Amino acid sequence: MLCATGRLLAAESTALPAQPRGRGPRRCRRRELHFPGHPELPLCRTASVPTGRRAILRRGRMPSAVCGGLAGSELRPRRGRYGPQAARAAVPEEAAEAAAQSPKRPAPGSRPSEAACRWVLLALVTLLAFATRFHRLDQPPHVCWDETHFGKMGSYYINRTFFFDVHPPLGKMLIGLAGYLSGYDGTFMFQKPGDRYEHHNYMGMRGFCAFLGSLLIPFAYLTVLELSKSLPAALLSAALLTFDTGCLTLSQYILLDPILMFFIMAAMLSMVKYNSCADRPFSAPWWFWLSLTGINLAGAIGVKFVGLFIILHVGWNTVSDLWHLFGDLSLSLVTVGKHLTARILCLIVLPLALYTAIYAVHFAVLNQSGPGDGFFSSAFQARLSGNTLHNASVPEYLAFGSVITVKNLRMAIGYLHSHRHLYPEGIGAHQQQVTTYLHKDYNNLWIIKKQNTDSDPLDPSFPVEFVRHGDIIRLEHKETSRNLHSHYHEAPLTRKHYQVTGYGINGTGDSNDFWRIEVINRKFGNRIKVLRSRIRFIHLVTGCVLGSSGKVLPKWGWEQLEVTCTPYLKETLNSIWNVEDHINPKLPNISLDVLQPSFPEILLESHMVMIRGNNGLKPKDNEFTSKPWHWPINYQGLRFSGINDTDFRVYLLGNPVVWWLNLLSIALYLLSGSIIAVAVQRGAHLPGEVEGLSQVLLRGGGQLLLGWALHYFPFFLMGRVLYFHHYFPAMLFSSMLTGILWDTLLRLCACGLAASSLASGVHMGGVLSLLLGTAYSFYLFHPLAYGMVGPLAQDPQSPMAGLRWLESWDF
């Protein structure tokens, strides 16, 4: 794989056994490859090694710990990349000469002091991460930013109340579980930012998010250590994340972001760990890390759909690995098939099974009717206890005089709705608004009547007359007694569509109130079934079809969805409806239990609703949003709490020293990586220590650059509303890349110095300067995360006045 070859080499020198000559395809082709530090020792390449690649098999000690990387590190040859057969093909005399010239060194695992140093540093890094994340966790004691959404959703799980959200359920379930286990009873309303928690126990949910946010730092440390085998690189990466005010802020509140980033980083760490076990395939550690990668992928996609980006990252790594295994002629096709099967089971089947199980738990827990009912189909609602359709009995066939609700079949459109408010002047005719509304409401009720009579069909003296396919009807709004009406005025938002209004007095209107009801794929004369018949309403005068564009009306329309009459008669879900509630005392009832959908149908429907909900997220009036190009340059922050000098103010903004260093590092990496890649491709002879560092930079850094790109550039293609916090998963990868880049560059600079003491001083001095610089910048900007009170930064008396380096920073 890409990252397994990022280790600096220090394997014990041993004589290599000779490969018998004259064995057909295993015969050596005399391409001369040299051990670093031993240019006189040629190494022939066997036919099974892919041509066009340089076999990097290092023996012996690097010249120094600074130039060669951390002492005890090693670059193992990968099967399928360089292949063990390449090593076996060396001539015995040449191998013996190499062994004589290369002093033996202890194996990496035989250095207990070094291993202890790694564990001590990991413990210190973890302790500092928890200390910064849990400091002042209870402040402010009121709802901040999106806590109003995700705290409320945690309460819904505790109360088992069904709701709708555009994200998968795992993150909210974990928040609800944390609240429940910590004693929160689910009674706080989370109505708006600024509401005080008072006696409600919110610390369990905040503490859970802070716990996962704290683990990001040791995960980054271990990931970089695995990719580079360099303690300074790992320590620098961990410091960049520890001292970033943005990561700190996101970790201290009831949000999905720390949960999402936890699973992304856990997946990345487990991926590089199973890469490092590539020389021991099908061993217990190999199976453990491979399976854990699949589990973490399910967790990432189970929190937010942007977890798909880490799935793409792992998928690319897996395809690359399998391709190189396929090219290793020392492996039989049966063995390659076993590798393929293992990855299918652990990285596809296992995540899918866990992802499905998440939804099974979600639907089992949320079995009570709630505010999310209207986003889903009538059949879905029939399974929710407390919904009017649950265990309900309604008349089966539609009749004149029935009171009904009409629901659009497109997900997240809702019910045909009207209210006493009129369209504003200049928006078509100044008549009563007709919209669609996602929630149950009395204003969703309509009475179905004949076109040419005002007699009451419910009068006992009149016989029951069923509504049939092709009948001409009127729909009278029950609350306002106005008829569903359309005319040639243009719709409010959708050009070339006609306006739909409520018109008339006590059911008396004009010919523009008449609609022909049609059942999809039925013959004229067939009766219309409640819930099951898919119907359309054709306007008799204009010939247009009643539908909903799905566009959100402005505040004058109460941000409900636009209803139009489209002259385009193509059948789409926007113009297809079904009758849901049905009240008619003259008709017998039937049970709706038979309509409850199966689990696969529920799962499919929920994803269709979430995808449509995500695509429909648009910025509201005066809402603070940002653009993807703003994010890496730290152009604008996001206000979490407080707006004036009397408020407790929390402002989401990345530590500018960290973020701008990351941005510089990406540019430097692209430049230096390109130069090294071109030199290697052209066959330039690099000193052994430089070549080892180059492999770390290209392969370890390449993995992290790919992770950054996959978590950043897709946002440029999204049409939904975007916020600053969407960049933070990409920021994790850029911080780890910065650690590897600067450690490698400083080592390369040190390699050019003759004196070993000066070389060591350059490297350690550079790393120490970066660590101290980021720590001091955190000291300056930490009030952004922990809270500020007093004058705003625009005031010269403010302690933050000199730190407002960009005019766009609004703290």
Side-chain angles (χ1 to χ4, degrees), residues 449 454 474 476 480-483 503-509 513:
K449 292 188 173 182
D454 290 328
R474 284 187 295 120
E476 180 183 313
T480 63
S481 298
R482 297 185 187 273
N483 296 324
Y503 179 75
I505 300 174
N506 294 325
T508 302
D513 302 339

Side-chain angles (χ1 to χ4, degrees), residues 164-166 305 355 359 363 375-377 409-413 534 573 600-616:
F164 166 72
D165 185 43
V166 297
F305 283 129
Y355 184 73
Y359 277 91
F363 293 130
F375 290 86
F376 291 81
S377 67
L409 260 64
R410 185 167 180 180
M411 304 300 175
I413 291 292
R534 297 155 55 94
L573 290 179
E601 292 172 327
I602 294 172
L603 187 63
L604 177 62
E605 180 176 344
S606 64
H607 279 77
M608 293 175 65
V609 172
M610 284 189 293
I611 291 171
R612 173 163 174 76
N614 257 306
N615 293 335

Side-chain angles (χ1 to χ4, degrees), residues 2-8 70 73-76 118 218-231 233-234 268-278 280 289 696 699-700 704 736 740:
L2 294 176
C3 57
T5 55
R7 303 178 165 203
L8 294 182
L70 182 69
S73 64
E74 142 181 58
L75 181 62
R76 286 192 294 266
R118 294 186 182 190
F219 283 1
Y221 172 91
L222 292 172
T223 301
V224 173
L225 187 61
E226 193 66 44
L227 290 173
S228 67
K229 293 301 175 184
S230 170
L231 277 176
M268 183 66 188
L269 174 60
S270 53
M271 183 187 76
V272 300
K273 282 289 188 180
Y274 97 76
N275 283 349
S276 69
C277 298
R280 294 171 291 158
W289 291 114
V696 170
R699 296 192 174 140
L704 299 175
M736 291 188 288
I740 287 183

